[in-house]
Amino acid sequence: MRKLISSGSSFEKLAGYSRAVVDGDWVFVSGTTGFDYATMTISPDALEQTHQCFRNIAAALREAGCSLDDVVRVRAFIADRADFMKLAPVFGHYFANARPANTTVVAELVDPRMKIEIEVTARRPRDPSVFDDLAASPIANI
């Protein structure tokens, strides 16, 4: 089962990608910036952009049937290394439960207004009844 999720950003159509792709239990969220897609505006503040990134990512994950707590991998691209120590606690706040694997890279982003871009991979929660069926299976005792 494959499902494409859009944020409504015109750039998704232009560049030929989806905000997120659900493939089975896996959810892949594209690099997401601090644009508010409802108003197509972006704050000049790196901290506010980071919070907006997480709001945008959380919205895509909700549509995919999961949450930030289901994130297993995060990659962040920041435009200015001086912002790292001020932004790190924001990641700690949003990922307090998930504690995903993380890579952070300092890189020039495609729009000079962008201070940060974040992509995540999440795994949708499994139906707990699947494990009940496995426990009742004859191979469970092997």
Side-chain angles (χ1 to χ4, degrees), residues 24-114:
D25 289 340
W26 294 100
V27 181
F28 304 92
V29 180
S30 293
T32 302
T33 64
F35 272 96
D36 178 335
Y37 298 121
T39 62
M40 284 313 293
T41 59
I42 191 166
S43 169
D45 181 64
L47 199 57
E48 176 50 35
Q49 283 191 31
T50 304
H51 285 290
Q52 186 61 50
C53 285
F54 279 106
R55 287 190 289 271
N56 294 340
I57 291 167
L61 291 172
R62 253 190 319 278
E63 194 170 334
C66 57
S67 73
L68 289 169
D69 288 346
D70 300 306
V71 172
V72 297
R73 181 81 171 109
V74 59
R75 288 183 190 90
F77 304 89
I78 58 174
D80 184 347
R81 83 177 64 248
D83 287 337
F84 178 77
M85 289 309 291
K86 123 174 113 170
L87 302 180
V90 179
F91 282 74
H93 169 77
Y94 287 102
F95 290 136
N97 294 326
R99 305 286 304 264
N102 178 310
T103 300
T104 301
V105 176
V106 176
E108 185 176 2
L109 301 175
V110 298
D111 182 323
R113 296 175 293 173
M114 297 172 183

Side-chain angles (χ1 to χ4, degrees), residues 110-131:
V110 298
D111 182 323
R113 296 175 293 173
M114 297 172 183
K115 310 283 186 203
I116 187 164
E117 184 169 346
I118 303 169
E119 70 175 51
V120 303
T121 302
R123 185 163 188 159
R124 296 192 308 167
R126 293 183 180 166
D127 178 355
S129 67
V130 170
F131 298 107

